[in-house]
Amino acid sequence: MEDTNNNETNLTYDSAIRELEQLVQKMQDPQCSIDNLSAYTRRSKQLLDICRSKLTQADQELQQILNDLQANAGGQQ
């Protein structure tokens, strides 16, 4: 299980989005079984959590950079 978590951590945002798009296509297939639908839904939630985490992290990093830039600009005036 630890390897799976490590692989999840290394999954890029773009890779997660691509996998989500593939899962949506599979879920929309009329031949998709309930068992597969359940598994696809669980995996989709995992991928959404990864994407949300990466977006939150990027937002925090950008906010910090902007705050640093504002602080440096304020000191130069």
Side-chain angles (χ1 to χ4, degrees):
M1 196 58 115
E2 196 169 318
D3 290 337
T4 302
N5 290 337
N6 191 29
N7 289 340
E8 297 295 315
T9 304
N10 294 329
L11 189 66
T12 66
Y13 178 84
D14 290 336
S15 295
I17 290 294
R18 275 193 300 275
E19 187 176 341
L20 271 168
E21 289 170 346
Q22 292 170 356
L23 288 171
V24 168
Q25 288 178 347
K26 290 178 181 180
M27 290 165 50
Q28 290 175 336
D29 184 339
Q31 302 301 316
C32 182
S33 73
I34 294 298
D35 294 328
N36 286 341
L37 183 61
S38 179
Y40 296 157
T41 302
R42 281 192 304 274
R43 179 60 180 158
S44 295
K45 169 136 181 10
Q46 292 171 340
L47 293 166
L48 287 169
D49 289 343
I50 290 167
C51 290
R52 185 177 296 115
S53 173
K54 290 188 179 290
L55 287 170
T56 299
Q57 180 181 359
D59 182 56
Q60 290 170 349
E61 290 173 4
L62 289 171
Q63 288 298 324
Q64 185 60 49
I65 290 168
L66 291 173
N67 289 340
D68 292 346
L69 287 172
Q70 287 177 344
N72 288 339
Q76 292 178 355
Q77 290 181 351

